[in-house]
Amino acid sequence: ADGRSDSPGHSAKYGSYTFLDLDWNKEIHQELVQSNEVSSSNAMELDGLKRGLQFFEENQVEVASLVTDRHRSVAKYLREEQDLIHYYDVWHVAKGVTKMLQQLAKKMTCSEVSAWSKSISNHLYWVAASSKEDPEEVILAKWLSEANHIMNRHTHDSVHYPKCQHGDLPTSGKRKKWLKPSRCIFLNKLVEHVAQKIVAGK
């Protein structure tokens, strides 16, 4: 589910909130909200979500899980007032990670990180795609393994994910340079920071 406004910024007059069934790959419901119906244009997304969930409840449609962007008001509402499983759209999470990596690469001691930015983002997508039935411990272990992988360490101190699943890696040809531990201090902190966000659902 996601919201969309008729114009960018905080001056939108109309907003729509659309629900898509991922199994059917079809749009199943849409709510239209006008800014003068809520406290501000920024509040239209949350109001559209509330109206949509009320529509499903009134029509006896059970919503077991919901995927949204990282809108804080939406996350808070779903966490505190709804009995369903809430997931973040991995695209939004990966976008945030990439932005943090770009900032990290500007540090003199972390310039090599920029070469790994795409790979780290792809790893996040892989974790999401390969972990549909995995418990939280396995998901986190998969994500945290990237801190070792970029240093050419492919076995990990985790019973949930003891080693990388890729095969033998090429030793010649074009490939990124492995990072040295001394260059990964800030990157390791970033990986752990994202892991904490995943656990907290923020």
Side-chain angles (χ1 to χ4, degrees):
D2 197 10
R4 185 175 183 179
S5 301
D6 63 341
S7 61
H10 301 283
S11 59
K13 185 175 181 180
Y14 298 100
S16 63
Y17 203 83
T18 305
F19 294 82
L20 178 77
D21 188 293
L22 297 180
D23 291 329
W24 296 348
N25 196 29
K26 292 183 180 294
E27 180 183 317
I28 56 175
H29 185 63
Q30 186 177 75
E31 290 286 344
L32 297 177
V33 184
Q34 193 167 338
S35 60
N36 60 10
E37 297 177 304
V38 293
S39 59
S40 67
S41 59
N42 192 48
M44 290 192 294
E45 184 164 350
L46 176 58
D47 194 68
L49 169 69
K50 290 180 177 179
R51 293 183 188 186
L53 291 177
Q54 183 178 357
F55 169 83
F56 291 129
E57 182 179 355
E58 291 173 351
N59 287 275
Q60 299 181 338
V61 176
E62 181 182 358
V63 180
S65 61
L66 194 67
V67 181
T68 73
D69 61 14
R70 300 173 67 192
H71 194 287
R72 291 187 177 183
S73 297
V74 166
K76 184 175 186 294
Y77 172 74
L78 293 175
R79 182 173 63 251
E80 297 180 356
E81 301 190 39
Q82 290 292 324
D83 184 21
L84 54 77
I85 301 173
H86 180 213
Y87 299 102
Y88 285 131
D89 185 339
V90 68
W91 182 87
H92 290 279
V93 180
K95 181 180 178 182
V97 170
T98 299
K99 185 176 181 179
M100 287 187 284
L101 287 170
Q102 290 171 346
Q103 293 296 321
L104 186 62
K106 293 179 181 179
K107 294 180 179 291
M108 186 177 297
T109 57
C110 301
S111 58
E112 297 95 334
V113 169
S114 60
W116 283 93
S117 178
K118 183 66 175 177
S119 296
I120 294 172
S121 177
N122 287 343
H123 179 70
L124 184 59
Y125 277 101
W126 173 80
V127 171
S130 65
S131 305
K132 294 180 180 179
E133 304 297 331
D134 289 339
E136 181 180 286
E137 294 82 1
V138 176
I139 296 172
L140 289 176
K142 285 181 177 180
W143 167 245
L144 291 170
S145 71
E146 184 69 359
N148 280 337
H149 175 85
I150 60 179
M151 293 187 289
N152 199 21
R153 298 173 180 172
H154 308 291
T155 56
H156 318 295
D157 296 328
S158 171
V159 296
H160 302 294
Y161 191 70
K163 65 178 182 179
C164 295
Q165 294 185 13
H166 56 71
D168 294 335
L169 298 173
T171 57
S172 60
K174 290 185 177 180
R175 65 174 181 81
K176 296 179 288 294
K177 291 183 179 180
W178 300 111
L179 299 184
K180 297 179 180 179
S182 60
R183 296 288 192 176
C184 292
I185 296 174
F186 290 106
L187 182 56
N188 289 345
K189 290 181 179 180
L190 186 150
V191 170
E192 292 173 0
H193 172 74
V194 174
Q196 291 171 1
K197 290 288 186 181
I198 293 173
V199 172
K202 297 179 180 179

